[in-house]
Amino acid sequence: MTNIRERLADLLGLDGVSELALDASRSPLPMAKPTDEAELCAVLELAARDGLRVLPVGAGSRLTWCRPPTECDLALSTRRLAGVVAYEPGDGTLTALAGTPMDVLARTAADGGHHVTPDVPRPAGTTLGGVLAGGASGFDRLRHGPARWHLLGTRVAEADGRVTTSGGRLVKNVTGYDLHRLYCGSQGSLCVILEASLRLFPLPERRVVVRRSFPDAESGLAAAWAVARLAVEPLAVVLTDRPDAGGAPWSLEIVLGGRKARVAWERGEIEAALGEVAIEEDGVARAALLRDLEPDPTHAPALHLTSRPSRVAGVLSRAHGLLGSSGVTTTSVIHPGVATVDLPLPASFDGLAGLVRELRSIDGARVAVRGTDLPEGLEPLDPPRAGLALMRRLRGVCDPDGRFATGRVL
């Protein structure tokens, strides 16, 4: 490790090298922190020449989404490659370097009357490159879908240090194969994202949150399905059982955003469907609070469950039953429209492996475990059910010498 640090310091200077701790069972990795594209490519060229395996990272907020690498010699951070490269209000596009925090992108776009998707939790500690490489969707995914839908183009560094481009910066200039969308969710196994261009949306003139309380999750979910059948387009629909749920055990909150007249009409439609509701007029602040309810797995483990929308109630009931039998009390954050359930767990919970095994036996459920220092042998992700051979072939083409750290996904 010392020798690797010295070689990195020769390239980047002493302030360009630090450490990355992955878990308590292994020594920290030396981490290269280049300040520009040339330095980053030089690190990749060094790794290719000396046979070193590289783990690309942004701010590190999504490293817990996959298992730690089985073989890795150094981490390569893009967090100092930051800044907005181009913002075209007339075209509704924005291009930024991979290390740019998501809150910077949101403020830049908002100043010009635009909204950036995905609207991720804790955006100040999340980078653009990390969001794309992690395949993260945002709080606004019910309306806007996954990030890859709105990724126009990328510049990436391949395993040998070569820089390649896919797509373009403007909607009208996007040509060629959609390799940039292939990179979404690749977890740093195919390339290092250097720069990305996004399609933007108009900034909502108004946001409000419509809230209704319910005695149990089943009635809250039934109300969510009733809203889904309306001709409304919420930014998000969230069902929670947190202490601030308005006095009742469960609270359904529907975030509306858009032109004032449209928001007023959608509000009326929801009131007609659900009956008496509470209205949060400061929808921006409330939506940000709801967005940041997603558990932070860097502090304690969390479960992320997905299923078909029709099976959310059953999956939630089974999860609560298993947790209750283990003596664990938790809160729930449910997005019925996209069929996800997030459950934060106590840091000292000893029955995690058995709980996950039971949850993975539920027909139609997918279980992801997010957290540091997970029990040995516990897989954070369900194994891929289809496409595994294709995924391995793609990795073989993009990284034929296996320079990027192995074992995280494949």
Side-chain angles (χ1 to χ4, degrees), residues 112-203:
H114 286 101
H115 168 77
V116 172
T117 187
D119 182 15
V120 296
R122 298 169 287 278
T126 305
T127 65
L128 173 60
V131 165
L132 296 177
S137 295
F139 180 72
D140 54 354
R141 60 192 176 273
L142 181 61
R143 178 183 291 182
H144 297 308
R148 66 176 178 273
W149 286 5
H150 312 296
L151 179 63
L152 300 175
T154 56
R155 281 170 52 81
V156 305
E158 298 185 8
D160 58 3
R162 291 182 300 163
V163 175
T164 59
T165 301
S166 172
R169 290 185 176 181
L170 304 178
V171 175
K172 61 185 177 183
N173 291 343
V174 175
T175 59
Y177 294 108
D178 284 350
L179 291 177
H180 45 287
R181 295 182 179 177
L182 173 67
Y183 301 145
C184 283
S186 62
Q187 303 288 349
S189 64
L190 304 179
C191 64
V192 181
I193 297 174
L194 302 173
E195 175 186 295
S197 299
L198 302 175
R199 177 193 293 113
L200 306 176
F201 292 87
L203 189 69

Side-chain angles (χ1 to χ4, degrees), residues 69 123 171 175 204 206 223 276 350 364 368 381 383 405-406:
V171 175
T175 59
R206 189 181 183 204
E276 184 177 353
D350 294 329
L381 299 173
T406 60

Side-chain angles (χ1 to χ4, degrees), residues 23-364:
D23 55 53
S25 66
R26 66 178 77 191
S27 300
L29 291 172
M31 183 165 68
K33 301 187 297 182
T35 58
D36 57 35
E37 184 179 295
E39 287 185 348
L40 185 144
C41 291
V43 173
L44 288 174
E45 290 168 1
L46 169 67
R49 184 172 62 249
D50 294 353
L52 304 175
R53 294 188 183 273
V54 178
L55 174 65
V57 299
S61 60
R62 284 171 174 73
L63 287 176
T64 60
W65 285 22
C66 295
R67 57 179 177 256
T70 53
E71 296 181 54
C72 188
D73 300 298
L74 65 99
L76 175 56
S77 172
T78 61
R79 67 186 68 179
R80 297 210 291 177
L81 277 72
V84 174
V85 176
Y87 172 39
E88 301 291 343
D91 195 58
T93 61
L94 184 149
T95 300
L97 298 177
T100 310
M102 293 299 293
D103 67 328
V104 173
L105 301 184
R107 288 196 302 269
T108 300
D111 288 344
H114 286 101
H115 168 77
V116 172
T117 187
D119 182 15
V120 296
R122 298 169 287 278
T126 305
T127 65
L128 173 60
V131 165
L132 296 177
S137 295
F139 180 72
D140 54 354
R141 60 192 176 273
L142 181 61
R143 178 183 291 182
H144 297 308
R148 66 176 178 273
W149 286 5
H150 312 296
L151 179 63
L152 300 175
T154 56
R155 281 170 52 81
V156 305
E158 298 185 8
D160 58 3
R162 291 182 300 163
V163 175
T164 59
T165 301
S166 172
R169 290 185 176 181
L170 304 178
V171 175
K172 61 185 177 183
N173 291 343
V174 175
T175 59
Y177 294 108
D178 284 350
L179 291 177
H180 45 287
R181 295 182 179 177
L182 173 67
Y183 301 145
C184 283
S186 62
Q187 303 288 349
S189 64
L190 304 179
C191 64
V192 181
I193 297 174
L194 302 173
E195 175 186 295
S197 299
L198 302 175
R199 177 193 293 113
L200 306 176
F201 292 87
L203 189 69
E205 290 180 359
R206 189 181 183 204
R207 295 191 198 190
V208 301
V209 177
V210 180
R211 180 193 302 178
R212 167 124 189 231
S213 299
F214 293 94
D216 51 54
E218 290 74 15
S219 54
L221 288 169
W225 306 143
V227 171
R229 289 190 289 270
L230 301 175
V232 299
E233 296 182 344
L235 285 166
V237 176
V238 187
L239 181 65
T240 65
D241 62 344
R242 296 179 58 83
D244 64 348
W250 290 86
S251 177
L252 181 69
E253 305 199 40
I254 303 146
V255 183
L256 304 177
R259 294 186 179 275
K260 293 178 181 179
R262 175 71 184 186
V263 169
W265 179 83
E266 290 186 338
R267 170 179 166 174
E269 290 291 294
I270 293 171
E271 287 185 276
L274 300 187
E276 184 177 353
V277 296
I279 304 295
E280 184 75 42
E281 298 291 350
D282 186 4
V284 174
R286 185 64 186 176
L289 186 150
L290 292 170
R291 177 197 67 196
D292 291 344
L293 291 181
E294 180 178 305
D296 183 356
T298 61
H299 296 128
L303 296 176
H304 180 74
L305 314 179
T306 60
S307 70
R308 296 177 183 173
S310 61
R311 295 187 177 181
V312 170
V315 170
L316 179 66
S317 176
R318 181 74 180 277
H320 280 177
L322 291 169
L323 286 167
S325 64
S326 301
V328 175
T329 301
T330 186
T331 56
S332 308
V333 181
I334 307 163
H335 288 259
V338 291
T340 65
V341 178
D342 287 290
L343 302 169
L345 300 176
S348 58
F349 181 44
D350 294 329
L352 183 58
L355 171 66
V356 171
R357 185 169 54 252
E358 291 289 336
L359 289 173
R360 284 178 173 161
S361 69
I362 301 174
D363 183 37

